[in-house]
């Protein structure tokens, strides 16, 4: 049975592949659009593969992929996905910017995937817009484009400018995009075809490796945090961590205060609470089970610690998750 959707006319997207674009991002975008058509039993979306010159593009996995047209020859589009997995000198930035500008209208959606938002910003198309990029390029992105409001979120949707960190977050972003256009119920059913337990919201932050955030010059601190992450259910004491890392407790506390602005015990507690929140949102485990799995010896201790950190109790967190889920069904 065909599902009634909100848009009668098919939306036409151009998918612009830049050198070394990620096959995973291309596959997820095209698969979601194709599956949406199948689910609706009518054509909701059309898409064209594009490249700057019309030549085939070699993707990150080495596969050379033919395209339909050069960007400059593309027909009228409703949106353009710009897919890039790295910032490379192989791109003629000035020419690319001119071509995208020629396509841009007030209604055209411009969507940067992975490092695609870098090239949109380079063309001046993200000034005063919220945008994200893959975590490896966040510092460069922030420094080069002060007019862009940069976040480390999984994806950003700011009017007709959108961006996504790429990889697994591309699937979440595509579901939200489809949901905006054809309703949350349709997106929920589409997500089930991909066996998604949930659609992550855009304001979830990318998981940026600690070594990247603080630099590789602090191996003891990185090792200490890795120990914490590996011992969530049965937390180690600060003295234990210092012993295993091979430094004094005072040295460990100094490293945490200098680089993470927290004492080790507070940072450890926040790790455990963030893990608990993830389990509350993503699993059906009981609140007691989750508290024990995250190193809390009693329900009241877990509840009070959770409320002090997040402003709501674990029960309220679970309730809000269920309410949101029901609203989309």
């Amino acid at each position: 049975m065909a599902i009634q959707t909100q848009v009668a006319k098919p939306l036409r997207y151009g998918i612009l592949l830049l050198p070394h674009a990620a096959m995973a991002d291309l596959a997820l975008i095209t698969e979601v659009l194709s599956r949406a058509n199948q689910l609706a039993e009518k054509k909701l979306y059309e898409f064209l593969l594009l490249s700057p010159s019309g030549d085939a593009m070699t993707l990150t996995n080495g596969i050379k992929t033919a395209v339909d047209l050069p960007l400059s020859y593309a027909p009228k589009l409703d949106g353009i996905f710009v897919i890039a997995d790295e910032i490379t000198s192989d791109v003629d930035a000035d020419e690319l910017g001119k071509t995208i500008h020629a396509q841009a209208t007030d209604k055209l959606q411009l969507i940067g995937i992975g490092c695609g938002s870098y090239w949109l910003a380079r063309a001046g198309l993200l000034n005063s817009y919220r945008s994200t990029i893959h975590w490896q390029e966040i510092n460069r992105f922030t420094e080069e484009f002060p007019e862009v409001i940069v976040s480390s979120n999984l994806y950003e949707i700011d009017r007709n400018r959108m961006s996504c960190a790429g990889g697994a977050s591309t699937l979440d972003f595509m579901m939200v995009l489809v949901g905006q256009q054809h309703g949350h119920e349709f997106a929920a059913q589409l997500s089930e075809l991909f066996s998604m337990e949930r659609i992550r919201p855009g304001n979830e932050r990318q998981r940026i490796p600690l070594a990247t955030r603080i630099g590789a010059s602090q191996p003891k601190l990185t090792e200490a945090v890795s120990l914490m992450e590996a011992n969530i259910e049965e937390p180690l004491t600060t003295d234990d961590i210092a012993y295993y890392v091979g430094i004094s407790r005072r040295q460990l506390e100094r490293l945490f205060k200098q680089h993470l602005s927290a004492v080790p015990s507070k940072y450890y507690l926040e790790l455990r609470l963030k893990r608990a929140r993830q389990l509350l949102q993503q699993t059906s485990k009981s609140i007691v089970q989750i508290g024990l799995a995250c190193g809390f010896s009693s329900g009241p201790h877990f509840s009070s610690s959770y409320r002090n950190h997040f402003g709501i109790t674990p029960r309220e967190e679970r309730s809000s998750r269920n309410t949101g889920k029901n609203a989309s069904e």
Side-chain angles (χ1 to χ4, degrees), residues 19 84-91 115 118-119 122 133 137 140-141 144-145:
D85 198 54
E86 59 185 60
I87 298 170
T88 171
S89 59
D90 293 345
V91 175
C115 291
Y118 175 90
W119 301 106
R122 183 79 178 267
I133 196 169
E137 299 293 349
R140 177 175 178 175
F141 195 49
E144 288 196 31
F145 307 111

Side-chain angles (χ1 to χ4, degrees), residues 207-226:
R207 182 172 172 78
I208 303 174
L210 181 66
T212 298
R213 301 205 311 266
I214 65 175
S217 61
Q218 301 299 330
K220 294 295 185 181
L221 179 57
T222 303
E223 186 179 352
V225 172
S226 295

Side-chain angles (χ1 to χ4, degrees), residues 124-137:
L125 291 163
L126 294 181
N127 292 351
S128 300
Y129 288 88
R130 289 186 61 84
S131 183
T132 191
I133 196 169
H134 191 274
W135 61 263
Q136 290 178 311
E137 299 293 349

Side-chain angles (χ1 to χ4, degrees), residues 96-117:
L96 177 64
K98 289 178 185 177
T99 311
I100 294 177
H101 267 288
Q103 284 277 351
T105 64
D106 291 339
K107 294 183 178 180
L108 181 73
Q109 294 178 342
L110 292 174
I111 306 164
I113 303 293
C115 291
S117 50

